[in-house]
Amino acid sequence: MALSPAPRPVILDGDPGHDDAVNILLAHAAPELEVLGVSTTYGNVGLERTTRNALVTLELIGARTPVYAGADRPLLAARLSAESVHGQTGLDGPLLPSPAREAQELHAALFIIQEVRARPHQVTLLPTGPLTNLALALRLAPDIAPLIKQIVWMGGSLDVGNWTPAAEFNALCDPHAAQIVFSSGVPLVMFGLNATHQAIATPQRIAAIRALSGRQGGSDVGEVVAGLLEFFAEHHRVRYGWDGGPLHDPLTCAYLLAPELFVTQPMYAEVDTSGGPSSGRTNCDLWNLTGNVPNAEVALQVDADGFYELLTERLGRF
Ligand code: BDR
Ligand code: CA
């Protein structure tokens, strides 16, 4: 009998957030992955809340994965937050358990450095928020850049933004940090809005997830995720007239589990740090107009049905 390969070590760095929380759940339903830790940053809401939300999400599935709090603000920019999308708690919507644990003492950036050094060329980072923790780690310990296997980030956009006409929220939160990551030489995959907006959590897709809890022996997870997605849908109905919210962040984890669901293209990309009206824009050189060597694999297409099948099947494992 063929042995299955060793699980791939990953660190989930995010700002939960509805879609970050679903990414945490998906990663924990994947025997292909070994989640070394969940690190948190300010972003959708303040750091204290995102850290609590990471603990709440893990509590829901009884996971004891360590949580590390990181940056509470960007490197230089003024701090933004997205209560208008995620509610005051950052995870508004369903009834959630209270966390029985606390975050570790170690700062998220130091945790990332520690794990990358301990497992050279093995650790994949899955950031789903502003890139401040990663930038801090790369600045504190430049030696880790060649030792990181890959970064798969949700952020940026090949075309328009969602927080300004030019910029996506995670990129806009800390453009300088994002540019440090983009210029680090670490293999980078970018799931920008042009890709994530293809993965809308429609009422039918939410109903399939809710039905997981109705099955014999089904856990609460389907019901809770359905509640999260229904809350998340509201902002997107009002702002864009869509039939639900795009599940941005879980595409990072899904990319590791089923890369065949995605079309990506290597290209040169850099982040506008000018402070002007396009600040935070990820300038992606689709047609190689600059002639620069590609530094990012940019997602272009998502098989949305395939993604929701994967997600629903995996959530059904809890
Ligand atoms: C990104 O911003 C946050 O609101 C979401 O969690 C996602 O990571 C989308 O722009
Ligand atoms: Ca996020």
Side-chain angles (χ1 to χ4, degrees), residues 98-122:
S98 294
R101 299 182 302 144
E102 293 191 353
Q104 309 292 308
E105 285 296 316
L106 192 65
H107 190 284
L110 299 178
F111 168 66
I112 292 170
I113 294 168
Q114 169 190 293
E115 295 304 311
V116 171
R117 283 183 177 156
R119 296 174 171 79
H121 311 291
Q122 292 177 46

Side-chain angles (χ1 to χ4, degrees), residues 103-152:
Q104 309 292 308
E105 285 296 316
L106 192 65
H107 190 284
L110 299 178
F111 168 66
I112 292 170
I113 294 168
Q114 169 190 293
E115 295 304 311
V116 171
R117 283 183 177 156
R119 296 174 171 79
H121 311 291
Q122 292 177 46
V123 178
T124 296
L125 305 177
L126 298 182
T128 57
L131 287 170
T132 317
N133 287 338
L134 270 63
L136 287 172
L138 287 162
R139 282 297 193 249
L140 282 167
D143 60 287
I144 65 169
L147 305 181
I148 299 170
K149 184 176 168 78
Q150 191 178 39
I151 295 171
V152 184

Side-chain angles (χ1 to χ4, degrees), residues 248-274:
H248 311 278
D249 295 342
L251 297 184
T252 58
C253 187
Y255 177 73
L256 299 192
L257 302 180
E260 66 280 3
L261 296 177
F262 306 97
V263 176
T264 64
Q265 184 178 312
M267 59 188 89
Y268 178 73
E270 62 186 3
V271 187
D272 184 333
T273 56
S274 65

